[in-house]
Amino acid sequence: MKTKITLATLFLVGVTTVNAQKKYDIKTAKTYAEISAKTDGKWEGRKYIGGTVFKNVDRLKLAPEHTDHSFDIRYEGPGWESNRIGYRLYLDWRNAIDIFGKKTPEMILPKVGQDNFDSYHEMSDWGADILKAGKAIGIGSIDRYLNNEKLHFREVDSTIATVVNKINESGVKVQYYGWKTASDKIDFTSELTIKPDELYTQHTIQASKEIKGICTGIAKQKNTEFLKKESKNKKWAYIATYGVQSLVPDKLGMAIFYEVNTIESAPDTDLDYLLVFKPTTKKTSFYLLGAWEQEPNGIKSKEEFVKYLDQKLEILNKKGKM
């Protein structure tokens, strides 16, 4: 039997406050980030058994046993949201970013996955998980693409995720130490930041060594149209997809804005539209976003989506940032 969890209940038990961020008022917030794990169960192989409640923390070091569907982390990793959309990162070898479509401007992450581990796949009053990532890259996450093959985060010495909630933004920082792919072993940092009233997340990445093949991209789905465009000054561009590609199913747009001079190639694979970055140890920022038709007053057609993308591209053309 499922127990219905409401936001009011969560406020009462206090699970929405994370250790160093107790002054953050989620009831009036327009952005929120969290990571929530069980600590009072035990590991049996790669599965976490037992435990009474998920507890929010500011910082989480991934257990060495953790993999996909280990059941120790609520909705499988950190989440972040604005009043318009939500995202989560699979904090395991997949390292894909997924989308939570929202039907309310309230902060919904505190109740996602509380009543049943993967209940967010079912449509609810707040919305649902609307992107099927599968073996694809999701939206705007990181992989390595070498010799026509994606190399995931299967071998990492340690992974640490931290969350931050401020008045004007929320975010997640993930530090991967000793990420091994092919013959290379590097440290890698991923910072994801979302702001009020926006669909996009700024994703800033940095590698400790210059290696070829670090990539991002968009999962390729059926029934979609692929879109791309450069800014007038040729410094920025976007790739995007639009169509009936959500799990509902209904219309969903996905896009990535990137600096043209940071990209080495753009492979079109069976699973993804990829963007491969030039090797560098400098910080590189790009923007990822989803636009779901059931968002209140949201984008409901390809024409509206393209208009929105072009407006954001013009901002990047003029200011070099969003």
Side-chain angles (χ1 to χ4, degrees):
M1 181 177 177
K2 293 182 179 180
T3 302
K4 187 170 182 182
I5 305 290
T6 66
L7 279 176
T9 303
L10 290 168
F11 291 136
L12 287 172
V13 300
V15 302
T16 63
T17 57
V18 287
N19 301 339
Q21 301 173 43
K22 292 181 179 178
K23 293 180 181 179
Y24 191 77
D25 187 359
I26 193 172
K27 290 178 285 187
T28 59
K30 286 190 173 184
T31 66
Y32 178 63
E34 66 172 17
I35 187 164
S36 185
K38 287 186 177 180
T39 58
D40 56 341
K42 64 178 182 178
W43 286 99
E44 292 185 7
R46 306 303 291 272
K47 302 290 184 185
Y48 195 78
I49 307 301
T52 54
V53 67
F54 289 106
K55 294 183 179 179
N56 283 36
V57 292
D58 291 339
R59 179 183 183 273
L60 179 71
K61 184 175 182 180
L62 205 61
E65 299 91 342
H66 180 83
T67 186
D68 59 292
H69 300 90
S70 283
F71 306 113
D72 57 320
I73 303 175
R74 187 157 55 87
Y75 56 78
E76 300 196 86
W80 62 100
E81 66 179 313
S82 72
N83 49 322
R84 299 185 64 185
I85 196 165
Y87 300 95
R88 64 170 172 146
L89 172 71
Y90 298 131
L91 199 64
D92 53 59
W93 65 269
R94 296 168 295 175
N95 202 62
I97 292 175
D98 202 348
I99 300 173
F100 287 129
K102 292 179 59 169
K103 298 194 290 187
T104 172
E106 294 178 29
M107 300 297 100
I108 55 89
L109 288 177
K111 61 179 177 178
V112 175
Q114 292 277 10
D115 52 353
N116 189 31
F117 184 76
D118 58 358
S119 58
Y120 46 81
H121 290 121
E122 304 167 8
M123 188 59 66
S124 66
D125 56 349
W126 63 260
D129 176 344
I130 59 171
L131 175 61
K132 180 175 176 58
K135 295 180 179 180
I137 201 166
I139 172 66
S141 44
I142 297 298
D143 256 320
R144 190 179 184 196
Y145 188 70
L146 280 182
N147 302 318
N148 300 318
E149 181 185 4
K150 273 191 313 184
L151 307 177
H152 300 289
F153 284 70
R154 291 187 182 275
E155 293 186 57
V156 183
D157 289 343
S158 64
T159 302
I160 297 173
T162 57
V163 296
V164 175
N165 288 299
K166 301 177 182 178
I167 293 174
N168 294 317
E169 66 181 37
S170 294
V172 174
K173 181 178 182 179
V174 186
Q175 294 166 287
Y176 307 88
Y177 297 98
W179 175 30
K180 187 178 184 301
T181 50
S183 60
D184 298 299
K185 192 171 185 179
I186 68 169
D187 298 334
F188 192 85
T189 301
S190 181
E191 295 183 73
L192 300 134
T193 306
I194 198 164
K195 295 186 176 181
D197 305 315
E198 298 291 355
L199 294 173
Y200 68 80
T201 290
Q202 182 178 6
H203 195 170
T204 301
I205 60 173
Q206 187 172 25
S208 63
K209 289 169 57 179
E210 289 188 7
I211 62 170
K212 294 178 68 69
I214 299 295
C215 69
T216 189
I218 301 174
K220 187 181 288 186
Q221 312 281 9
K222 296 178 180 178
N223 307 313
T224 61
E225 184 175 348
F226 180 71
L227 309 162
K228 64 179 181 178
K229 188 173 183 178
E230 274 194 354
S231 61
K232 295 171 187 173
N233 62 12
K234 306 296 182 183
K235 291 183 178 180
W236 287 87
Y238 66 71
I239 60 169
T241 61
Y242 193 82
V244 180
Q245 61 176 328
S246 80
L247 285 169
V248 178
D250 60 1
K251 293 192 286 293
L252 171 67
M254 294 189 285
I256 294 174
F257 293 86
Y258 59 94
E259 284 191 88
V260 173
N261 67 4
T262 65
I263 301 300
E264 187 169 73
S265 63
D268 182 354
T269 74
D270 290 342
L271 294 174
D272 309 284
Y273 299 104
L274 295 179
L275 296 167
V276 179
F277 295 100
K278 294 175 183 176
T280 183
T281 58
K282 294 180 180 179
K283 286 188 176 183
T284 301
S285 291
F286 60 97
Y287 300 86
L288 63 101
L289 66 87
W292 184 40
E293 71 165 305
Q294 289 196 53
E295 177 202 349
N297 304 309
I299 293 167
K300 304 189 186 314
S301 69
K302 188 191 88 171
E303 292 73 24
E304 290 179 19
F305 185 54
V306 170
K307 181 180 179 182
Y308 170 85
L309 295 181
D310 289 349
Q311 288 172 344
K312 294 300 183 186
L313 190 62
E314 182 60 23
I315 291 172
L316 289 167
N317 184 77
K318 289 180 177 179
K319 298 182 177 180
K321 63 179 181 179
M322 285 197 203

